[in-house]
Amino acid sequence: MAGAVRSPVHRTAIAVRPVLGLLPLRNAACTCQSRDQQPSQLSTPSSNLAPSRNFTSCTTSRKTRNSDSWFSNHSMHHTMATGDGVASSNGGGEGSRRSLFFPRRAVMYVPACDERKVLKTTTISVDSIIFDIEDGVAANKKDVARKSIGAAIATSRRDDSQSSLSEHVVRVNGVGSGLMNLDLREVFRSCDSHGVSPDAIMLPKVESVEHVAELDLCLSFHRLSLPPLPLFIMAESPLGLLHLHHICHFATHGTRHLRLAAVVFGSDDYLASIGGVRTDSGAELAAVRQAVVGVASANGVAAIDMVSTNFSDLTALREQADEGARMGFNGKQVIHPAQVPVVQEAFSPSEERVEWASRLISAFNHHQHSGQP
């Protein structure tokens, strides 16, 4: 009730509900909303979603992972967007696999043209894999990368692979590069030939609503009558940060073929654009990182933190990941398999935290049923 005075138990219980998955988490962004859903519906727990012709629900337990004890012991509730039919749980040609509540703790980049690294993904239990055809691929390898996307996704989704339940995302080149439409045409042609579809698209160097609108328009030529694709947008410049809220709002409510899932902070490109220098403390980026979290939170989507480029220093990585989690980020970009377990552990609640939250929720429910003010 608006303006109602809430007890400390009431306020604290509401604050910890996301730990138990009782309310939507930003790192489990609603990426499969129907176009006629109102923003107020986005905070509805999955167990209370009314049936509709646009959705079908199922429950899937993620594979047991060494660093994922909490997530492996708590079922992930998946809601597949179907349009007029059921999207394949394998991600095959009938649209993408998309879940209502999906963790994106470690978001790992893999050059799509590198067969050795693509094959390596099958041995890694990571939440999201970004098959890259942008900055991680040399100009003379981009055509190979585009045409390798279908095979890369099919390989990573093999039933016997550790990455079969990972989210498979394609990072295309930005609108300003002039390569985006070519990327999309070849990516979907490659995917069709292997009977797969990407789970999401990542658009880098987004600086305006028009960039998202152009991607949405291009998709209308490549994905007819399919459910909207989750979209990751990268904020990598002062202009992108300045317009970020409007970009997020448009990508959530104004697109036909896309639905915003996450905001990804590109720290190195941002510093280069302002003439800044990266330091070990990261103090020069603290305000901007917090701004990214605030905008993502206001729009109900995940916020993905910057890359730790020194992949051999896992101690520094853990400190940076813990800091990002305290700031409100939901996950972190990684560039090496060794970084994955460190990051995924940092962005997972401990068993002690879960037990504490369970007790507090019980106290909250008891208080609610007691009738006390």
Side-chain angles (χ1 to χ4, degrees):
M1 181 183 300
V5 177
R6 289 173 171 159
S7 69
V9 170
H10 191 158
R11 291 195 299 270
T12 309
I14 290 175
V16 302
R17 275 182 176 245
V19 176
L20 298 179
L22 299 178
L23 288 179
L25 295 161
R26 287 193 308 279
N27 68 347
C30 300
T31 60
C32 59
Q33 307 144 16
S34 64
R35 288 187 56 80
D36 56 355
Q37 272 189 295
Q38 297 302 312
S40 61
Q41 292 176 286
L42 304 188
S43 61
T44 306
S46 61
S47 58
N48 295 330
L49 281 173
S52 94
R53 71 177 184 87
N54 291 323
F55 296 92
T56 181
S57 297
C58 62
T59 302
T60 304
S61 296
R62 298 185 75 80
K63 291 181 179 178
T64 302
R65 302 172 176 176
N66 293 336
S67 62
D68 291 357
S69 59
W70 188 83
F71 282 98
S72 64
N73 291 330
H74 294 75
S75 293
M76 300 300 297
H77 296 280
H78 289 251
T79 302
M80 306 293 185
T82 63
D84 292 328
V86 178
S88 167
S89 62
N90 252 350
E94 292 295 323
S96 71
R97 311 173 305 167
R98 48 172 63 84
S99 66
L100 188 61
F101 301 115
F102 194 93
R104 296 182 174 101
R105 297 163 297 168
V107 175
M108 183 178 70
Y109 292 97
V110 178
C113 59
D114 192 323
E115 292 183 15
R116 181 183 63 83
K117 292 180 180 178
V118 168
L119 188 59
K120 179 69 175 177
T121 66
T122 63
T123 67
I124 305 168
S125 296
V126 59
D127 288 344
S128 295
I129 297 171
I130 312 296
F131 287 120
D132 194 15
I133 53 179
E134 197 227 4
D135 283 353
V137 176
N140 65 347
K141 294 288 186 180
K142 288 190 183 293
D143 194 50
V144 174
R146 294 181 189 108
K147 295 176 179 178
S148 300
I149 288 292
I153 294 176
T155 297
S156 191
R157 283 192 188 151
R158 288 187 332 214
D159 289 341
D160 61 345
S161 73
Q162 291 292 307
S163 57
S164 63
L165 291 179
S166 297
E167 180 181 45
H168 296 94
V169 184
V170 176
R171 179 165 75 164
V172 296
N173 288 280
V175 173
S177 70
L179 298 173
M180 184 186 69
N181 192 41
L182 174 61
D183 291 345
L184 292 170
R185 185 185 71 196
E186 293 301 327
V187 162
F188 286 108
R189 184 176 292 171
S190 175
C191 287
D192 287 346
S193 69
H194 287 83
V196 298
S197 177
D199 292 320
I201 292 290
M202 177 181 282
L203 183 64
K205 299 176 175 61
V206 180
E207 294 189 332
S208 68
V209 166
E210 286 75 18
H211 285 180
V212 177
E214 185 163 342
L215 172 61
D216 195 50
L217 178 63
C218 288
L219 284 174
S220 69
F221 295 102
H222 302 295
R223 298 184 77 253
L224 299 177
S225 304
L226 289 174
L229 266 178
L231 170 67
F232 292 41
I233 61 171
M234 296 195 71
E236 304 181 78
S237 70
L239 198 58
L241 266 294
L242 184 65
H243 296 155
L244 188 56
H245 173 65
H246 298 292
I247 293 168
C248 289
H249 188 270
F250 176 77
T252 303
H253 303 289
T255 51
R256 180 180 180 86
H257 301 282
L258 297 163
R259 204 58 86 242
L260 186 63
V263 177
V264 182
F265 178 45
S267 58
D268 291 343
D269 279 3
Y270 176 82
L271 281 176
S273 68
I274 64 171
V277 178
R278 182 86 173 257
T279 64
D280 290 340
S281 70
E284 67 282 355
L285 292 168
V288 182
R289 290 166 73 197
Q290 199 65 72
V292 170
V293 170
V295 174
S297 178
N299 286 276
V301 298
I304 309 299
D305 201 6
M306 61 189 187
V307 168
S308 179
T309 53
N310 185 1
F311 58 81
S312 63
D313 190 346
L314 298 184
T315 300
L317 171 67
R318 181 58 194 250
E319 292 173 357
Q320 194 181 95
D322 286 340
E323 178 185 60
R326 290 193 299 271
M327 294 178 77
F329 281 99
N330 309 109
K332 187 174 184 65
Q333 301 164 80
V334 301
I335 56 174
H336 192 277
Q339 295 179 313
V340 171
V342 176
V343 168
Q344 294 196 158
E345 183 179 357
F347 285 95
S348 301
S350 66
E351 289 297 330
E352 292 77 12
R353 177 79 172 168
V354 173
E355 291 173 6
W356 170 79
S358 298
R359 292 194 300 271
L360 200 55
I361 292 297
S362 296
F364 167 71
N365 290 333
H366 176 74
H367 181 269
Q368 288 291 90
H369 292 126
S370 70
Q372 296 178 5

